[in-house]
């Protein structure tokens, strides 16, 4: 397959790590309880933040994170496009319009938080409209390594009625270059969905990687993730 041979040998997370994703059912109530108390985290100044859900997820899944960010003083928004079933022209246009609208309403650049596939979307939004974006956070997003080192492909096939998934190897390699805004890639080495090596951002003066503990599904209900985001958002 064109483009595949020169990519690193990285495997999808093991069946054991995939099974450990069930931890999310304990992580959700724990985060909900602890996020009520945001003592010790830097406060925000009302700047806008747009949170984009992962594949197969809805704004409801990111609601705990957005509520915590609002309690810290940020204007946190969901993407408002229903369930994320992948990038389509209508989704691309709607995200472009949403970013432009938030920027106009707040008269300030927007910070983007993308969970899993949502992080891929966030990076591309920042790549095409960097003047509207303050910074980007990716949470367990497949942004490097190789596009098949994950356990998401089966879900893509189901969502597309069993049709084979044609991976765009060359396009993936082009997207590995970070957008021209500050980017923080948050990852967990016990991620059961995306190989953690593929969640690392390319090293540059405006990029960084931050390791946390926990599941992939729980990255939006993870106190360590909230701390990293809060600290970076409070940085001028």
């Amino acid at each position: 397959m064109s483009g595949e041979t020169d990519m690193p040998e990285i495997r999808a997370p093991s069946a054991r790590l995939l099974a450990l994703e069930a931890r999310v059912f304990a992580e959700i109530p724990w985060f909900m309880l602890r996020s009520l108390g945001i003592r010790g985290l830097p406060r925000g100044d009302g700047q806008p933040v747009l949170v984009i859900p992962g594949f197969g997820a809805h704004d409801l899944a990111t609601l705990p994170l957005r509520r915590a960010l609002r309690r810290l003083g940020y204007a946190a928004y969901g993407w408002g496009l229903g369930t994320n079933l992948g990038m389509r022209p209508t989704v691309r246009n709607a995200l472009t319009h949403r970013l432009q609208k938030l920027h106009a309403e707040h008269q300030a650049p927007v910070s983007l938080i993308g969970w899993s596939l949502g992080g891929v979307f966030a990076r591309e939004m920042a790549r095409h409209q960097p003047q509207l974006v303050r910074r980007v956070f990716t949470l367990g997003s497949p942004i490097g390594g190789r596009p098949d080192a994950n356990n998401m492909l089966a879900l893509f096939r189901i969502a597309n009625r069993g049709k084979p998934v044609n991976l765009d190897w060359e396009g993936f390699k082009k997207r590995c270059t970070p957008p021209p805004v500050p980017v923080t890639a948050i990852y967990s080495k016990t991620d059961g969905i995306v190989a953690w090596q593929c969640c690392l951002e390319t090293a540059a003066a405006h990029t960084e990687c931050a390791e946390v503990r926990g599941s992939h599904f729980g990255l939006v209900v993870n106190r360590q993730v909230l701390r990293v985001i809060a600290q970076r958002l409070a940085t001028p």
Side-chain angles (χ1 to χ4, degrees):
M1 184 179 296
S2 177
E4 180 179 0
T5 56
D6 58 348
M7 285 193 170
E9 287 297 326
I10 303 174
R11 296 180 180 275
S14 66
R16 182 184 70 84
L17 287 178
L18 181 58
L20 283 176
E21 286 297 310
R23 288 173 293 173
V24 68
F25 294 111
E27 292 169 333
I28 292 174
W30 180 244
F31 179 84
M32 296 289 284
L33 180 64
R34 297 198 66 195
S35 68
L36 293 177
I38 54 177
R39 185 171 54 187
L41 298 181
R43 307 291 299 200
D45 57 1
Q47 63 179 275
V49 180
L50 177 61
V51 185
I52 306 171
F55 180 78
H58 187 275
D59 279 336
L60 185 63
T62 66
L63 183 57
L65 175 60
R66 287 184 282 119
R67 280 181 172 171
L69 289 171
R70 287 172 188 153
R71 288 175 62 84
L72 286 171
Y74 296 99
Y77 299 89
W79 80 328
L81 296 176
T83 302
N84 186 347
L85 295 177
M87 183 56 75
R88 294 165 170 78
T90 53
V91 172
R92 182 181 297 106
N93 294 336
L95 279 175
T96 298
H97 177 71
R98 185 124 173 90
L99 178 59
Q100 293 171 343
K101 183 179 179 181
L102 289 177
H103 182 272
E105 287 179 354
H106 289 270
Q107 290 296 298
V110 182
S111 290
L112 306 177
I113 301 175
W115 173 32
S116 196
L117 181 62
V120 177
F121 292 2
R123 289 171 87 253
E124 292 310 297
M125 291 167 67
R127 190 186 315 282
H128 294 290
Q129 299 186 89
Q131 73 281 6
L132 305 183
V133 178
R134 184 170 186 264
R135 64 182 307 133
V136 170
F137 298 90
T138 60
L139 314 182
S141 300
I143 56 176
R146 52 187 299 139
D148 58 349
N150 60 71
N151 289 315
M152 295 170 56
L153 295 181
L155 297 177
F156 272 95
R157 293 189 184 97
I158 293 173
N160 289 279
R161 302 179 181 179
K163 295 180 181 178
V165 178
N166 297 317
L167 297 175
D168 180 7
W169 296 85
E170 295 303 322
F172 177 82
K173 288 194 290 186
K174 292 178 181 178
R175 290 192 297 273
C176 288
T177 302
V181 301
V183 183
T184 299
I186 301 175
Y187 69 98
S188 169
K189 288 187 176 180
T190 57
D191 190 317
I193 302 299
V194 182
W196 66 268
Q197 298 94 328
C198 298
C199 303
L200 305 180
E201 187 56 89
T202 302
H206 63 291
T207 67
E208 65 170 344
C209 300
E211 182 183 356
V212 299
R213 297 183 300 275
S215 68
H216 179 88
F217 291 138
L219 286 170
V220 285
V221 287
N222 187 310
R223 173 75 176 186
Q224 297 172 67
V225 171
L226 176 60
R227 178 174 293 278
V228 171
I229 292 174
Q231 290 174 342
R232 304 313 188 269
L233 286 178
T235 302

